[in-house]
Amino acid sequence: MKKLLAIGLALACTLSALATHAEDGYDMWLRYQPLSDSSLVKDYRKQLGTLVAPDGPAVIESAAQELQRGISGLLDRPLERSDSLARRGSLVIGTPETSELIASLGWEDRLAQQGPEGFLLETTRIGRRDVTVIASEGDRGVLYGAFHLLRLLQTQQAIEELAIAEAPKVQHRVVNHWDNLNRLVERGYAGLSLWEWGTLPEYNENPRYRDYARINASLGINGTAINNVNADPRILTDQFLEKVAALNEVFRQYGIKTYLSINYDSPRAFGDLDTADPLDPRVQQWWKDKAKQIYKHIPDLGGFLVKADSEGQPGPQGYGRNHADGANILADAVAPYGGVIFWRAFVYSPEQGDRFREAYDEFKPLDGKFRDNVIVQIKNGPIDFQPREPFSPLFGALEDTNIMMELQVTQEYFGFSNHLAYQGPLFEEVLDADTHAKGEGSTVGKILGGEVFEYEQTGMAAVINPGTDRNWTGHPFVQSSWYAFGRMAWDYELSSEAIAEEWMRMTFTNDRRFLDPIGEVMAYSREAGVNYRNPLGLTHLFAQGHHYGPAPWYDEAERMDWTAWYYHRADEDGIGFDRTESGSNAIEQYHGPVREHFGTLDQIDEDYLLWFHHVGWDYKMNSGRTLWEELVLKYDEGVQQVRNMQAEWEKVQGLIDRERYEHVKALLEVQLRDAIRWRDSCVSYFQSLSGLPLPEGSPEPEHDLEHYKKLEHTFYVPDPWHPKGNDRRVDY
Amino acid sequence: MKKLLAIGLALACTLSALATHAEDGYDMWLRYQPLSDSSLVKDYRKQLGTLVAPDGPAVIESAAQELQRGISGLLDRPLERSDSLARRGSLVIGTPETSELIASLGWEDRLAQQGPEGFLLETTRIGRRDVTVIASEGDRGVLYGAFHLLRLLQTQQAIEELAIAEAPKVQHRVVNHWDNLNRLVERGYAGLSLWEWGTLPEYNENPRYRDYARINASLGINGTAINNVNADPRILTDQFLEKVAALNEVFRQYGIKTYLSINYDSPRAFGDLDTADPLDPRVQQWWKDKAKQIYKHIPDLGGFLVKADSEGQPGPQGYGRNHADGANILADAVAPYGGVIFWRAFVYSPEQGDRFREAYDEFKPLDGKFRDNVIVQIKNGPIDFQPREPFSPLFGALEDTNIMMELQVTQEYFGFSNHLAYQGPLFEEVLDADTHAKGEGSTVGKILGGEVFEYEQTGMAAVINPGTDRNWTGHPFVQSSWYAFGRMAWDYELSSEAIAEEWMRMTFTNDRRFLDPIGEVMAYSREAGVNYRNPLGLTHLFAQGHHYGPAPWYDEAERMDWTAWYYHRADEDGIGFDRTESGSNAIEQYHGPVREHFGTLDQIDEDYLLWFHHVGWDYKMNSGRTLWEELVLKYDEGVQQVRNMQAEWEKVQGLIDRERYEHVKALLEVQLRDAIRWRDSCVSYFQSLSGLPLPEGSPEPEHDLEHYKKLEHTFYVPDPWHPKGNDRRVDY
């Protein structure tokens, strides 16, 4: 009889497999497919037989629903929900306030230690019953604990003896969308904006809104800034606020606060005032009135994200005021509602000598002048999300100003959605970087956590790229960088390697034959992208506008700091940007040991060499080779790494679903084509300056330099947001 | 034991339902969910126990795979495939050439009658075995027969005694995409272009390409013109032709030919010549060389689609030549490869008096001057896909020129993807219209079928809108218009009502409690759209550019024929465009009885009244009411119809999946909001001219006319293709 049942089940599974959709990546890492390890499943089933969850707060209800969905799927049998403990194997969740069972544990002090977003996940007994408990002071902590337990199951961890205490290390864990109101996404590369303004507020039952919230909440992300920092003032009209409120209704159920990017000139754009001068009382009143109107629509709005006086955006400097003046009036306007201001430090003006220096030079003198509910949001590096940058010297420089870091998940400079380039190692590199702000060990991560300076508010943000593409992110592996950001925003000490393995297990399979080789691929994929684009501290060799293809020869633009030449400064004698005392002296912005490390040729990590030094083509590297030889070999290595990625990927055929396998395989072909073109373009160009032969064994570029120059604006990847930049010339 | 098995199955189904995706409309009408009528399923299973399909041609293989997928899903058990007949219940498919079993039937003559795209679908015996047969002369016929059988199952028809003989009534059944190479879709409203140029040719395994082909093939569609008629010349570069070839590889497996929209000035755009004059031998040679290059990439390309001398597109008139000169050189270039030219008749110049007349005035004199492999593609009406138009007078006017009709599935003038407006009744209306070209009964349908004049080639085309939106079309009901187009292109005599029922059964449910009310809703949904926008023969009252909202007051533009006033000509005395002898005399372009019908006030169907006559506000209608009263009541009726649609939709809650139910419900709210605004805007405006009171019971508009005028460019529906038009003013 059992056998027959098994046959029935097997048959039904085959059938349902036939009828269901092909694997398309939509579920991201929340796949919840039945686990393959049957003895583990048996144990899990025993331990997690019944869910005991309180009725009540929406966020706890979301946790309960997620647990039912996840555990039912993973263990391939429905998880029942009950009001009371089963005889054995109950999963009990809640806060002491919402659940008498949780209250009965007497854990109040321990829960207080973890705070309202932290949780305890433990196996224990209530009365005579064995239970697994997810408890928190706050509703969000319960939700995060639920996702934690699900992650343990998805990655097939033992759960018989759980004694987990977790709490996030930073306070604001925020994703940023560069979505325009016309639904084009700046630097998104994964379809149109998720926000269907034309059908809002009516249609907020769109399943993508909820799934988007689930995906973020599963990582502990608690904020989303939904519109482009190059902000359209209309986001603050009643018409749009109603639409935002409808989205916020969904996000709220997953503990996610909504933030709006605002245009600093809004008082003028609305036609109400002829100025946006922050010291003008009418402007201050305008923002107070506007805040009142906004919070009427969205009482729990998180606040504003502001890009001011940057790349053409208006700001306080247009009225002779500084960033603190600018930020503080907004902070005062939202303070009555508990709102905060994320004020971006990504500023640079065409006049200055070294763009590297500018954010520091503008913000350092303002340290201590910002309100407590302002947080200065600083990109990881001093330029702009390049494949490798030294950490921004602002980390460790602002002692009395709340700061947070801005990372980029969308691959603006990493091959859009076509290249595999797991960003975990990049994030880890900057989080682990030691600023020496208060002696050794003052890592960027600790600074962000408020452990070096006592900040009122802490946070991490990332520019993500989800759009209407079915798998949200275009390249399936861009998902991994979103995942890594979320996990590191929760705990900056997690390793990119461990995170990659978690992600692969949840997203693809627990099969070691997949995890080992593809874990390797992920680990070096970012370095590969550095190598075939701009090794040894080169940077920003991109064609203008599209940021996809190479143009190291590019030396004329409206602004020199938008050219490639500005960054590499190569001539027949040598290459690199001198940022030591003999040059722009940007290194003075770092604390002593860092300054010395970057500033001294025999100390510097060669990965950063040309960021800080201009050296001759014959400069001797640690390897004994000349700089020229090393440079070419690095380019070669980048191409070889992509070939290796292809070879490894081919080996995992059959270990995962065919659809995602073929997708990644095809994209690796695109990546190899691009990597070769990058390498050949850069090697040809630099050789035209150095006049030196290629090192032995290094292949001659297939074409001459003129050929590659002509390709600069040929069609690469259509980017609807930027048709003029990406696609502006008709090349035949 | 049986019971246990049943429980096992039921349990497994619950579980798989938990784990699978929510219903999202992706499957369109190819849903293949298990049928609910269990006794019917039992019969079907008996009859369709085994599939006997030949190995061989790709298109027959596609048919076999579709049958396996469809029948396995619908009957909830795997359909086995075998090389030989089972003892009972075999489904045998093939051509006499590919299948000995089919050959053994001796049906060659009968198959020849149906032609290579037609098929016989019959129950019969082969030897002693009962079989169901799908047979055709050609591979495509087998595929179309397979989809026909699946449709019978999906709609729960009896299949024990099948004797079906089908063949398409027109030859070219083509969908048109207005997709730009940057992936923005002109008038698409359903996401970005399906064609991911950035990952082609490498990634043509994208499941959407195949599913797109399946969807079209299921209707018998055999051609797709993949790029915008406002054509980017780069489509003819090697770089793009390689990408197109990769798509074509997929389409070919479903019997679909690829067509390219070309830019008439390509010889100049490529920098090869300084002219595109069709009578210049160098130009002729250029196109011959280009055709050779194109067909090297895509040997089975269908040909070109051309928009010339229309709305700024280049064409032969720029060189003093006519449309025949222009089309014929392209026809000669593709003729050696079996290609055809679809030459659009959608032309109008700013100079002429009545845009209505222009296509006829330009093309009628050229009748008989086009090559045999040219087909003139004529929009259904003389203007541009308006909610209601009289049929184009070119139907019935061209006796010696191949013609085809162009319809619009995408709702450019029907509320984009926000409004429910099934286009079947519109298509039916024009197909059934009697041109009287050769006496009574010379319907547009028969003319298209080559039954009135003997055309060398026949066809129907439709501008469809699928994009990256998960359900392909934005509004779930836009799918129904795509479906209706395909079915009517196959057989112009099918009724829109019967097609709607088929579509609903396949797409939603066979439950009569759904089919009856929603069938009604579909039947009047188009008329509702006419009523709340432009009843009684009014037309084109749209705001410029976005074609979404009302602007009947709009009377200034670069071209008068882009204003609303041009079309309604309302003043204090009356309203309407006089196209009788006393006016533009456009009616002279119709054959006698039609001319008389449209031209005579007491004969004309009042639905067309203001298309042809300028009448006073107090003109007496058949109802006894004045024109003014009737007009307002029609607007009222339109709004009421949307309310009725909402009421009917609410009744079907629970009869279909929650996801699509909620989606349509929310969109109906948007539609009601828009319908009220249309009605109030138009009634206010026309009342400002007529000065007459509203009929009793008709509600006063909520706001005054100035209010509605101000709304003209407020944010409606973001249309990324057209941000400047849709979204150009900042209204606060």
Side-chain angles (χ1 to χ4, degrees), chain A residues 391-567:
Chain A
F391 68 87
S392 165
L394 274 172
F395 297 115
L398 299 177
E399 304 187 12
D400 297 314
T401 303
N402 303 320
I403 62 160
M404 60 198 287
M405 179 156 68
E406 178 178 312
L407 296 166
Q408 195 179 45
V409 164
T410 190
Q411 296 183 179
E412 175 177 357
Y413 295 101
F414 261 106
F416 295 3
S417 290
N418 285 356
H419 291 198
L420 195 168
Y422 170 53
Q423 302 289 301
L426 188 158
F427 302 162
E428 187 175 30
E429 193 170 281
V430 59
L431 288 166
D432 286 353
D434 194 343
T435 69
H436 290 266
K438 275 198 179 174
E440 204 176 331
S442 306
T443 62
V444 172
K446 283 189 179 159
I447 286 175
L448 293 173
E451 297 164 49
V452 178
F453 308 114
E454 280 182 25
Y455 296 138
E456 294 286 328
Q457 316 233 10
T458 60
M460 278 176 68
V463 183
I464 57 171
N465 81 327
T468 52
D469 273 14
R470 183 59 183 169
N471 72 1
W472 305 84
T473 57
H475 198 303
F477 277 76
V478 174
Q479 296 181 1
S480 67
S481 302
W482 186 353
Y483 186 86
F485 161 71
R487 297 288 288 137
M488 290 188 189
W490 181 270
D491 181 355
Y492 59 77
E493 286 182 319
L494 293 175
S495 84
S496 66
E497 199 182 320
I499 291 172
E501 174 147 335
E502 264 180 24
W503 176 78
M504 288 186 290
R505 284 174 177 268
M506 296 163 79
T507 306
F508 285 107
T509 175
N510 279 290
D511 190 330
R512 281 243 72 86
R513 293 170 301 166
F514 181 91
L515 299 173
D516 290 336
I518 305 309
E520 286 266 327
V521 163
M522 289 179 72
Y524 65 71
S525 62
R526 177 263 185 149
E527 202 63 34
V530 171
N531 286 335
Y532 60 71
R533 284 189 188 83
N534 42 19
L536 299 179
L538 287 173
T539 203
H540 211 296
L541 307 183
F542 295 92
Q544 202 201 349
H546 63 61
H547 291 176
Y548 187 83
W553 47 78
Y554 173 48
D555 59 4
E556 278 178 31
E558 311 156 53
R559 302 172 52 152
M560 275 311 285
D561 55 358
W562 288 349
T563 68
W565 188 86
Y566 178 89
Y567 295 97

Side-chain angles (χ1 to χ4, degrees), chain A residues 8 23 167 180 218 259 271 282 316 325 478 499 527 565 623 663 676 715 724:
Chain A
E23 179 63 63
N180 293 320
S218 75
Y259 296 82
R282 294 171 305 157
D325 298 330
V478 174
I499 291 172
E527 202 63 34
W565 188 86
S623 63
H663 190 190
I676 291 171
F715 196 89
K724 290 259 166 61

Side-chain angles (χ1 to χ4, degrees), chain A residues 234-253:
Chain A
R234 288 178 302 176
I235 193 72
L236 298 186
T237 57
D238 283 322
Q239 191 181 14
F240 268 96
L241 292 171
E242 277 172 26
K243 297 170 190 284
V244 175
L247 289 175
N248 183 60
E249 257 180 54
V250 181
F251 302 159
R252 179 195 291 133
Q253 295 167 42

Side-chain angles (χ1 to χ4, degrees), chain B residues 94-96 102 111 115-120 134-142:
Chain B
T95 59
I102 299 292
L111 292 175
E117 294 196 313
F119 57 85
L120 299 173
I134 300 170
S136 173
E137 254 196 334
D139 302 344
R140 275 193 286 193
V142 177

Side-chain angles (χ1 to χ4, degrees), chain B residues 144-449:
Chain B
Y144 300 149
F147 279 112
H148 193 106
L149 175 62
L150 287 167
R151 186 184 308 124
L152 295 178
L153 303 181
Q154 287 178 277
T155 57
Q156 304 196 150
Q157 308 303 304
I159 62 164
E160 312 94 331
E161 295 180 31
L162 294 174
I164 294 171
E166 284 265 343
K169 289 203 168 74
V170 305
Q171 198 179 336
H172 300 287
R173 303 174 302 279
V174 184
V175 287
N176 290 184
H177 294 258
W178 289 352
D179 290 18
N180 294 321
L181 302 190
N182 62 10
R183 297 192 68 203
L184 295 178
V185 182
E186 185 165 343
R187 317 295 185 186
Y189 326 115
L192 294 177
S193 171
L194 293 173
W195 325 130
E196 276 191 13
W197 298 116
T199 60
L200 285 168
E202 287 84 357
Y203 183 45
N204 76 345
E205 293 265 2
N206 186 333
R208 283 201 98 130
Y209 299 150
R210 183 170 300 271
D211 290 328
Y212 164 83
R214 291 174 52 234
I215 289 162
N216 279 317
S218 75
L219 303 171
I221 285 166
N222 62 8
T224 177
I226 60 174
N227 61 316
N228 193 350
V229 290
N230 295 319
D232 188 324
R234 287 178 302 176
I235 193 73
L236 298 186
T237 57
D238 284 322
Q239 191 181 15
F240 267 96
L241 291 170
E242 278 172 26
K243 297 170 190 284
V244 174
L247 289 175
N248 184 60
E249 258 179 54
V250 181
F251 302 160
R252 179 195 290 135
Q253 294 168 42
Y254 289 85
I256 295 168
K257 277 185 182 290
T258 306
Y259 296 82
L260 298 177
S261 293
I262 60 104
N263 183 300
Y264 204 80
D265 257 353
S266 293
R268 293 174 64 180
F270 274 76
D272 294 332
L273 298 175
D274 58 1
T275 178
D277 178 356
L279 298 195
D280 186 318
R282 294 172 304 158
V283 172
Q284 294 167 11
Q285 190 59 46
W286 190 92
W287 281 109
K288 281 179 183 157
D289 294 344
K290 185 55 73 178
K292 195 172 167 187
Q293 175 197 357
I294 295 167
Y295 277 90
K296 209 171 139 191
H297 285 286
I298 312 158
D300 54 351
L301 186 85
F304 300 154
L305 170 61
V306 191
K307 174 178 181 177
D309 292 317
S310 169
E311 299 185 319
Q313 290 301 306
Q317 293 178 344
Y319 304 95
R321 316 303 181 184
N322 66 37
H323 289 289
D325 298 330
N328 289 342
I329 64 154
L330 300 178
D332 292 344
V334 301
Y337 314 98
V340 300
I341 304 299
F342 301 141
W343 189 271
R344 292 174 94 232
F346 176 65
V347 297
Y348 59 103
S349 57
E351 293 79 32
Q352 215 165 334
D354 183 2
R355 177 172 162 185
F356 187 113
R357 298 187 55 112
E358 299 191 44
Y360 182 100
D361 287 347
E362 284 195 33
F363 278 85
K364 173 70 181 165
L366 299 176
D367 190 19
K369 306 235 164 95
F370 291 90
R371 295 280 190 275
D372 281 352
N373 62 334
V374 173
I375 311 171
V376 174
Q377 181 167 313
I378 305 163
K379 288 191 183 183
N380 59 287
I383 303 295
D384 186 18
F385 298 138
Q386 294 302 297
R388 168 167 281 119
E389 295 197 35
F391 69 87
S392 166
L394 274 173
F395 297 114
L398 299 178
E399 303 187 10
D400 298 314
T401 302
N402 303 320
I403 62 159
M404 60 198 286
M405 180 157 68
E406 179 178 312
L407 296 165
Q408 196 178 45
V409 164
T410 190
Q411 296 183 180
E412 175 177 357
Y413 295 101
F414 261 107
F416 295 6
S417 290
N418 285 357
H419 292 198
L420 194 167
Y422 170 53
Q423 302 290 301
L426 188 159
F427 302 163
E428 187 176 31
E429 193 169 282
V430 60
L431 288 166
D432 286 353
D434 194 343
T435 68
H436 290 267
K438 277 197 178 175
E440 203 176 332
S442 307
T443 62
V444 171
K446 283 188 179 161
I447 285 175
L448 293 174

Side-chain angles (χ1 to χ4, degrees), chain B residues 575-578 580 598-601 604 609-615:
Chain B
I575 184 168
F577 196 129
D578 183 0
T580 65
F598 284 144
T600 314
L601 271 173
I604 192 168
L609 179 67
L610 303 177
W611 267 103
F612 292 102
H613 299 276
H614 187 87
V615 297

Side-chain angles (χ1 to χ4, degrees), chain A residues 340-361:
Chain A
V340 299
I341 304 298
F342 301 140
W343 189 269
R344 291 173 96 231
F346 176 65
V347 296
Y348 59 104
S349 58
E351 293 80 31
Q352 213 164 336
D354 183 2
R355 178 172 163 187
F356 187 115
R357 296 187 58 112
E358 299 191 44
Y360 182 101
D361 286 347

Side-chain angles (χ1 to χ4, degrees), chain B residues 356 360 382 390-393 586-592 594-595 598 612:
Chain B
F356 187 113
Y360 182 100
F391 69 87
S392 166
I587 58 163
E588 70 174 334
Q589 298 179 334
Y590 289 106
H591 291 280
V594 181
R595 185 160 63 230
F598 284 144
F612 292 102

